Amino acid sequence: MRMNQFGEQTLAQIEEALLGGATARRGDIVIARGQGCWLWDTAGNRYLDLGSAQGVAMLGHCHPALSAALAEQAQRLISCPNFLYNDTRAHFAAALAEVLPPHLQHMFLANSGAEAMDGALKFARLVTGRPKFVAFTRGFHGRTVGALSVTHDPKYREPFNPLLEASHVPYNNIPRLDAALDDQTAAVVLEVVQGEGGVNLGKVEFLQAAQTLCRERGALLIVDEIQTGFGRTGKWFACEHADLHPDLICMAKGIGGGFPIGAVAYSEQVQAALFPGAHGSTFGGNPLACAAGLAALQVYHEEGLIERSARMGEGLRQRLAEALAGRTVVREIRGLGLMVAIELREKVGPHLKTLMEEHGVIALPAGPNVLRLLPPLVISEEEIEIGVRAIASTLPG
Ligand SMILES: Cc1ncc(COP(=O)(O)O)c(C=O)c1O
């Protein structure tokens, strides 16, 4: 490898020089390895990862079953043309179908959340023949051109206009949604719990009303479960909390236990509108990704991770409430399963830095003043305690 051109530069500086720009990094820590809920940097320091590497390492880092499945598949077959069937892909699809709602038994396999969302938007246009989308303020659906169109934050969206035609109505506001839906709306795009936007919980009446309005107006309902899916909220999918039956569900993050996979699951009605070539992805559904997805699903079942998320999440929120009782800086502690937020009365950025650099704990922001915790679903009570104490030491009185 030719590294001479970088002289005495650190690995952090090399990465910044080559990959810096669109993606901002925090500090100059270089992560080299992970195990369970822990990450180690190149200097040997360890960090408790309460963010699951942005919500993906649901089984913890390098779960032995996942690593073994990847190693086995890597020695057998890594690439398979999409026009041929593949044994691992068929097994993964069948295992995924088992945990999906019974009315969503067709799927498209992709590589990321945004790619899944782009697929769902295309499918909704195809089924309805309509051009427009309705999404929500503080919603986040990814950064490709399609997914960005339904993402709310104008800072991400506006420099790239014109995008797809989409309106953003206030979340949890039924009358405003009612007013926004018209006969040109292909789909409503919804997170049951808004992740990046602040861990905002959708009210059951609102979610149900969104479904009813879609049915009445001939629009489809796309639920974005990219962050909330696969046990994050204590159910396989967050839409189960509200008894929602969407037409399409977008998945990614936790589906492969950390390996990049995206997927859209959809109904018979959507399936009927598709034609060969309507959509495609060279890497989508590759054997390595499918081996990871299959192994991850087996671990979810064997280790009871869905139920564990509900139980540990409740415990985490309770411990945070005790440890942070009386702190004026804390506006609210909220969440569902192991998707937890501490909303602050001040900016969260400096606290995340202190938490990582002084206490070795990694947490995520969700908007300017929300500290978000998305720990691996395998987190133990002892690890929760370490995290809670570090947060309590970091936040002011
Ligand atoms: C709810 C939601 N949708 C979509 C995405 C985009 O996923 P990806 O980064 O894999 O493209 C994210 C990523 O954070 C997300 O949280």
Side-chain angles (χ1 to χ4, degrees), residues 113-125:
E115 196 189 350
M117 178 54 67
D118 273 15
L121 298 176
K122 278 179 69 179
F123 295 165
R125 277 187 158 183

Side-chain angles (χ1 to χ4, degrees), residues 112-114 140-142 191 196 224 226-227 252-253:
S112 69
F140 184 87
H141 304 288
E191 288 165 277
E196 305 299 305
D224 181 342
I226 289 164
Q227 190 163 143
K253 293 198 186 280

